[in-house]
Amino acid sequence: MLHKLALIASFLISLITFSGLGLGLWLGSILPWMAPQRIGPFNLLSYVQPYLYLVIPNILIFGLFSFALGLLTRRTLTSYLSIVGLYFAYSVVAFIFSVLNLDAFFNVLANPFGNGSVDYAVRFWTKIEQNTLSVPFAPAIWLSRLIYLGLSAAFFAWIWRRFSFAGMATARPRLEQFLDWLERRLLVWKTTPPQERPAEAVPVRSELATLPTAHRHYGPGAQANHVWRIVQMELKRLIWNPLVLAILSISVLVLMVLVGTSIRDNFGAPALPATAFILDMASLLVKFLAPLLIIFLAGDLVWREREVKVDPLTDLLPVRSWAVVLGKLLALVLILALVLVLLTLGGLLAQTLQQYTHYELGVYAIGFFTLVLVDLLLISILAITIQVLVNQKFLGYLLSAALVIVFAQGDALFRSARLLQYGYKPDAYYSPISGYGGMLEPVRWYQGYWLAIALLLLCVSALFWVRGVDTQPKQRWRIARQRFTRPMQTVMGLSALAAILLGGWIFYNTHLLNPAPSRAQVEAQVIAYEQAYGRLIDAQPKITAVDWQGDLYPEADGRFAVKGTYTLENKTQQPIDTILLNLAKDIQVNQLTVNGSAATATAEHPVVQAYEFALAAPLQPGATAEVSFDLLKKPGPAVARAGIKNFASHFENGLNFRSVDFMPMVGFFQRPRLKNEQKREQAGLPPLDPTAEAARQTQYTPLTPAGDADLAQFSATLSTSADQIAITSGELRRDWVEGNRHYFQYQSQEPILPVVPILSGRYEVLKDQWQDVQLELYYHPGHDRNLERMARGMKNTLDYATQNFGPFPHTTLRLVEVPYVGEAVSYPATITRGERFGYLAKFDDNDPTSVDEAFRIAAHETAHQWWGQQLIPSDTPGTKFLLEALPEYTANQVYG
């Protein structure tokens, strides 16, 4: 009866806990700041179905299974690890099924968690169906649930029949005897008590032996020796802890299985186990498993002596409290380092088994031991400090887990206060082309700040470390003041000073030099911008010719200096007396003139800096004006870079950005624009006329930020490092070397949309030919696995599109590999494709269900040379059909 009550109680508690998920989703949908037009009507069935299909069945399945294992082994640890074991078993089965090329339906049945069954049931639904229909109770769902419910119930029933309290005191199961034997052999703190020696074996001593003279050493050297002794003792004990062994083995084995089954590029195609992929996967695995291990071991380390009742002896030893804390922390860190070492070996072994021998040991070292390990060290110090201060083991577990989750998942909460989000650092990604591309510099600033904070926490732990029976708050404060000696004051003072200096430097760069405007500031700037320039929304010229000279410095800091001219033509039916130019806010403007005259006024905007030019004589319809500019684009301070999107252009190799990122934009900039009628009225702005807005959209193309250009003549001269190739749109007329600079001159054969890429890198080039068009594929050395497939996709699309849609207007078509990004973008005569987008993918030509994404994506992007480059859409309904549906149709026709 007791077991039944315990099982029912655990089920009800779990159900009540998980009911908060549905309640939270519903409450989130009715919050006042949620946009009603983005939320569908309330449907109770949509909230009930996840509980019927997944939540309740999984509570029963895993509850019965883990409860039965607990009864079988009489150990709670086995129950805790059962879910991880099931996940590992499923990963192995999924790997076997993938090797056997079994249908996806069998993978659904093999998944005990059931999450794949819903995806399988709706795999052919359209987006509208997914957003409006309820998921049916399809065979894949109910069969998956019934199988595992039956298995877990049968296993529980078998254990239930075998279990008895009497058996615990008499004949113990062989499994339990084996586990006890294993613990005696592996857990050093559960050794067999020494047997008493028989009386006759005790040697008779006639006189006391002379004791050696004791030499007492309590100085720093002795304390350092104590630290090392504690590290050794705790390490020997922890290394055989069942949880540690489970985490170590599961991490390596699951990593190997995942590498064998789950390495995918950004389009979902199976890929070679490149180090970058393994780092991402292993880091995700460690972030999932390691905090659990840290929280558990931190509590074990803090409470070990008190739990085994030896603290009255150990607390009296002449060991400083800081030495005890430091020794225990180092033991925990070494365990975590061992996990990372084994993950590295597992990754190398997985690469070897798949015959991928491009090992990058330095990348493993940086990614694991200077990024992941530092994160784990910070969590370890936090968990130990919480255990020491709370002085309640299980409450410490709860608070540690809660804080780790809040700090790890609280990006929205700490968006404007990163210095309060413990352990936060900007993202850092590895690229075979560009390495970490300068992303490590801001990471190191944040790491230095948090390590200084962590050292303070470590000192606090030493001050409040419990020794003896004085555990009341007042007594602990008194002892902490006694321990606050001159050396401790020095260490804490220096760490506090370092935290203040580093935090101040970060705050200065992120909030003062590069402040993020508040919502109110953005709205005020948008209003002021429209009040100043709203009259110019329709009366502006178009760009008809572009000519510029740019100097790229990837070997220095990635800056780009550009000088050039625009030719603007008045294509309206009325004279234009004022021209408005906009530049991105991070652009340094050395010169900007219209017909030789400087700007007469400027205005603030959340996205751009605006320059107003009052013309001496109105620009008549059909007349032209010339814009001259001298601009500089360079990366901002390292610590101001919150993520890769803020500085994804400035790399030593593989430099990559677009002309719209730095070139002047003509006309009224509408992104963002205030559309709330009540706020517009309060600001004195005229109401939006839907008819006029719709008519205006037909004259505006979304392919340019300000809709400021039609097709235009384009020419550009780029210079870069002598060992790099500079690439943009147009035909390459010539290239030459002067000193340590390599120059490239490009010119469009026909007018093009002047939205072009600016690229520079050390590339290998594969050249091919289609009729009179030269194909050039620029790629990183070693990434040539699928180039022939890409070239074939480009040629087949050129063949199909020229026959059905019209001639290709260029004599060259380039495909350029770029770092970090996982997408492909088509520009006039030039296509950029991310390094994680097919270059390392594995395709099985003998599998009729396999899709050659290297070929298909190349075909899709080549089709954009017609859809979006020759036929330019307006910003009206149907734009997506022209820009994406028709290229997809073309690619499918070619692929089919």
Side-chain angles (χ1 to χ4, degrees):
M1 177 59 71
L2 183 62
H3 299 80
K4 293 180 181 179
L5 293 176
L7 181 60
I8 294 172
S10 62
F11 170 77
L12 292 176
I13 292 172
S14 300
L15 186 58
I16 292 172
T17 301
F18 281 101
S19 66
L21 295 174
L23 180 62
L25 288 172
W26 175 73
L27 290 175
S29 67
I30 63 174
L31 291 174
W33 55 80
M34 297 298 292
Q37 64 272 18
R38 301 186 62 183
I39 300 175
F42 175 78
N43 183 1
L44 181 61
L45 183 61
S46 299
Y47 289 87
V48 173
Q49 278 187 328
Y51 287 88
L52 297 178
Y53 292 175
L54 297 175
V55 177
I56 295 177
N58 281 346
I59 291 176
L60 289 173
I61 291 169
F62 300 117
L64 290 171
F65 182 72
S66 61
F67 198 87
L69 279 179
L71 293 178
L72 177 65
T73 62
R74 293 179 170 85
R75 283 164 174 79
T76 56
L77 181 61
T78 311
S79 298
Y80 296 153
L81 295 178
S82 61
I83 308 302
V84 180
L86 275 177
Y87 178 78
F88 173 67
Y90 159 65
S91 301
V92 174
V93 172
F95 174 69
I96 295 173
F97 283 5
S98 67
V99 172
L100 298 176
N101 287 323
L102 296 181
D103 186 79
F105 182 73
F106 294 99
N107 277 322
V108 170
L109 296 185
N111 188 344
F113 304 93
N115 52 303
S117 60
V118 174
D119 295 335
Y120 185 84
V122 300
R123 66 193 186 282
F124 297 126
W125 282 17
T126 64
K127 290 295 182 183
I128 294 177
E129 290 173 324
Q130 293 177 18
N131 290 331
T132 57
L133 299 181
S134 298
V135 179
F137 196 39
I141 298 175
W142 60 258
L143 191 57
S144 168
R145 304 294 78 204
L146 285 179
I147 288 175
Y148 289 101
L149 275 172
L151 290 175
S152 60
F155 180 63
F156 179 80
W158 178 70
I159 297 297
W160 182 272
R161 293 185 60 185
R162 292 172 52 88
F163 181 82
S164 69
F165 284 107
M168 295 177 63
T170 57
R172 294 166 46 181
R174 292 183 178 180
L175 177 60
E176 187 173 353
Q177 295 177 23
F178 170 74
L179 291 174
D180 284 343
W181 175 85
L182 194 62
E183 284 188 350
R184 287 196 302 271
R185 295 299 182 270
L186 298 181
L187 305 184
V188 298
W189 67 89
K190 288 193 175 182
T191 55
T192 304
Q195 298 180 353
E196 293 186 2
R197 300 174 64 183
E200 60 274 10
V202 178
V204 179
R205 304 174 68 178
S206 58
E207 57 184 12
L208 293 175
T210 303
L211 296 177
T213 303
H215 299 282
R216 300 184 179 115
H217 298 286
Y218 304 129
Q223 298 304 317
N225 187 52
H226 290 319
V227 170
W228 177 238
R229 296 286 185 180
I230 293 172
V231 170
Q232 290 178 304
M233 179 181 66
E234 296 291 358
L235 198 58
K236 290 177 182 178
R237 180 177 68 89
L238 292 178
I239 199 65
W240 299 113
N241 186 295
L243 180 61
V244 175
L245 291 175
I247 295 293
L248 290 176
S249 58
I250 289 172
S251 297
V252 176
L253 294 176
V254 170
L255 176 64
M256 292 179 62
V257 172
L258 289 175
V259 169
T261 60
S262 302
I263 289 289
R264 296 287 190 273
D265 65 10
N266 283 53
F267 208 84
L272 292 175
T275 305
F277 290 133
I278 293 181
L279 270 180
D280 291 346
M281 187 175 294
S283 298
L284 184 63
L285 180 66
V286 169
K287 289 178 182 178
F288 174 73
L289 291 177
L292 170 67
L293 176 66
I294 290 171
I295 292 170
F296 175 81
L297 292 184
D300 179 78
L301 287 166
V302 172
W303 286 88
R304 182 207 170 213
E305 287 81 6
R306 283 182 276 179
E307 287 186 336
V308 297
K309 309 299 183 184
V310 300
D311 53 308
L313 298 177
T314 58
D315 289 346
L316 297 176
L317 296 176
V319 182
R320 299 287 186 186
S321 296
W322 65 262
V324 177
V325 175
L326 184 59
K328 291 178 178 289
L329 173 65
L330 290 178
L332 177 54
V333 172
L334 288 176
I335 291 291
L336 298 172
L338 179 59
V339 173
L340 297 179
V341 168
L342 292 179
L343 282 175
T344 302
L345 295 176
L348 293 172
L349 180 58
Q351 289 178 313
T352 303
L353 292 176
Q354 295 195 45
Q355 299 179 349
Y356 183 86
T357 56
H358 184 54
Y359 308 121
E360 296 174 284
L361 298 180
V363 177
Y364 279 112
I366 294 174
F368 280 151
F369 298 99
T370 73
L371 296 177
V372 175
L373 186 59
V374 173
D375 291 343
L376 301 183
L377 171 63
L378 294 173
I379 296 176
S380 301
I381 294 175
L382 178 65
I384 289 176
T385 304
I386 291 173
Q387 285 287 355
V388 171
L389 295 179
V390 172
N391 203 30
Q392 296 289 337
K393 184 176 183 180
F394 292 99
L395 180 59
Y397 284 155
L398 178 62
L399 290 178
S400 298
L403 287 178
V404 168
I405 292 173
V406 167
F407 290 135
Q409 305 298 327
D411 284 347
L413 179 64
F414 296 98
R415 188 180 305 276
S416 58
R418 295 300 189 189
L419 294 178
L420 301 179
Q421 185 180 359
Y422 181 80
Y424 167 81
K425 68 177 187 307
D427 293 329
Y429 305 92
Y430 174 74
S431 161
I433 297 177
S434 298
Y436 282 97
M439 283 177 276
L440 291 180
E441 184 179 350
V443 168
R444 301 308 183 211
W445 283 103
Y446 277 92
Q447 284 182 332
Y449 169 73
W450 290 119
L451 287 173
I453 297 292
L455 182 56
L456 275 174
L457 294 178
L458 200 63
C459 292
V460 170
S461 298
L463 291 177
F464 289 92
W465 185 265
V466 174
R467 302 182 72 169
V469 296
D470 295 330
T471 60
Q472 296 302 314
K474 288 185 178 180
Q475 296 170 333
R476 296 184 69 192
W477 272 105
R478 176 177 53 80
I479 295 173
R481 288 196 298 269
Q482 294 173 355
R483 295 174 181 170
F484 193 53
T485 58
R486 184 62 60 84
M488 182 65 72
Q489 294 172 12
T490 302
V491 173
M492 295 187 71
L494 291 176
S495 58
L497 179 61
I500 292 172
L501 292 176
L502 291 169
W505 175 249
I506 294 171
F507 184 86
Y508 173 73
N509 280 276
T510 56
H511 288 74
L512 299 180
L513 284 184
N514 302 276
S518 65
R519 185 188 299 268
Q521 290 174 325
V522 169
E523 189 172 288
Q525 290 179 2
V526 168
I527 291 172
Y529 182 85
E530 186 168 352
Q531 288 173 337
Y533 304 123
R535 70 188 191 282
L536 304 176
I537 193 167
D538 294 317
Q540 289 293 284
K542 296 284 188 179
I543 301 172
T544 57
V546 177
D547 181 16
W548 41 262
Q549 303 80 44
D551 298 314
L552 302 164
Y553 296 92
E555 78 286 355
D557 57 3
R559 70 185 185 277
F560 179 38
V562 58
K563 298 180 180 179
T565 60
Y566 278 170
T567 299
L568 304 183
E569 181 180 345
N570 183 0
K571 293 190 175 184
T572 70
Q573 300 302 314
Q574 57 187 356
I576 296 175
D577 58 8
T578 302
I579 293 178
L580 178 64
L581 299 180
N582 308 276
L583 288 112
K585 300 200 77 168
D586 60 344
I587 299 300
Q588 176 181 318
V589 180
N590 299 322
Q591 177 195 353
L592 184 62
T593 62
V594 175
N595 289 339
S597 299
T600 55
T602 60
E604 284 293 326
H605 186 274
V607 179
V608 297
Q609 44 188 327
Y611 296 83
E612 178 184 348
F613 296 84
L615 301 180
L619 190 66
Q620 300 298 322
T624 61
E626 183 177 274
V627 176
S628 298
F629 48 85
D630 181 356
L631 311 172
L632 178 64
K633 178 177 175 58
K634 60 182 179 179
V639 292
R641 304 167 182 171
I644 186 173
K645 291 182 179 178
N646 291 342
F647 63 114
S649 308
H650 308 275
F651 300 127
E652 185 273 334
N653 187 35
L655 184 147
N656 167 31
F657 48 85
R658 306 171 304 161
S659 58
V660 294
D661 296 331
F662 66 90
M663 299 297 286
M665 295 168 281
V666 183
F668 184 82
F669 193 83
Q670 301 191 57
R671 303 177 185 178
R673 190 179 181 195
L674 185 64
K675 295 184 178 180
N676 184 289
E677 291 297 342
Q678 183 178 0
K679 291 183 177 180
R680 290 184 65 86
E681 183 180 358
Q682 293 173 352
L685 296 175
L688 295 176
D689 182 355
T691 303
E693 290 296 317
R696 186 175 297 117
Q697 296 296 75
T698 63
Q699 306 300 316
Y700 174 85
T701 175
L703 299 178
T704 59
D708 56 355
D710 294 328
L711 297 181
Q713 292 290 342
F714 172 77
S715 61
T717 300
L718 295 175
S719 74
T720 185
S721 303
D723 61 340
Q724 296 199 18
I725 301 173
I727 305 167
T728 187
S729 293
E731 318 298 337
L732 179 62
R733 299 306 182 190
R734 67 189 185 107
D735 72 289
W736 68 97
V737 176
E738 287 185 13
N740 61 348
R741 305 292 294 169
H742 197 173
Y743 289 83
F744 299 81
Q745 184 180 30
Y746 292 90
Q747 184 174 357
S748 63
Q749 185 167 289
E750 301 286 343
I752 64 173
L753 190 68
V755 178
V756 300
I758 294 89
L759 310 163
S760 180
R762 291 182 287 272
Y763 289 112
E764 299 287 339
V765 185
L766 173 65
K767 295 186 177 181
D768 206 335
Q769 194 78 22
W770 177 84
Q771 296 184 7
D772 60 345
V773 177
Q774 179 169 288
L775 304 182
E776 299 175 350
L777 287 81
Y778 295 81
Y779 64 96
H780 181 65
H783 289 190
D784 55 352
R785 176 184 180 87
N786 296 310
L787 294 182
E788 294 294 340
R789 298 174 184 271
M790 298 177 188
R792 194 167 63 250
M794 296 165 68
K795 288 190 289 187
N796 288 9
T797 305
L798 287 168
D799 193 40
Y800 177 86
T802 52
Q803 292 181 28
N804 292 277
F805 309 135
F808 181 66
H810 311 288
T811 60
T812 305
L813 180 59
R814 306 176 190 88
L815 181 64
V816 186
E817 183 182 11
V818 293
Y820 303 108
V821 297
E823 61 181 6
V825 181
S826 187
Y827 301 95
T830 302
I831 300 168
T832 62
R833 183 166 181 160
E835 62 186 346
R836 296 191 175 196
F837 215 46
Y839 285 93
L840 295 176
K842 300 184 295 185
F843 301 107
D844 185 359
D845 293 328
N846 297 321
D847 181 5
T849 64
S850 175
V851 179
D852 186 348
E853 292 295 347
F855 176 100
R856 205 186 65 79
I857 296 301
H860 176 101
E861 297 304 326
T862 303
H864 274 299
Q865 297 296 311
W866 284 263
W867 310 116
Q869 295 299 335
Q870 296 188 55
L871 189 60
I872 301 174
S874 59
D875 193 10
T876 54
T879 294
K880 289 295 183 182
F881 181 82
L882 188 151
L883 286 180
E884 294 302 333
L886 289 176
E888 192 71 3
Y889 166 81
T890 305
N892 289 338
Q893 291 296 106
V894 172
Y895 191 82

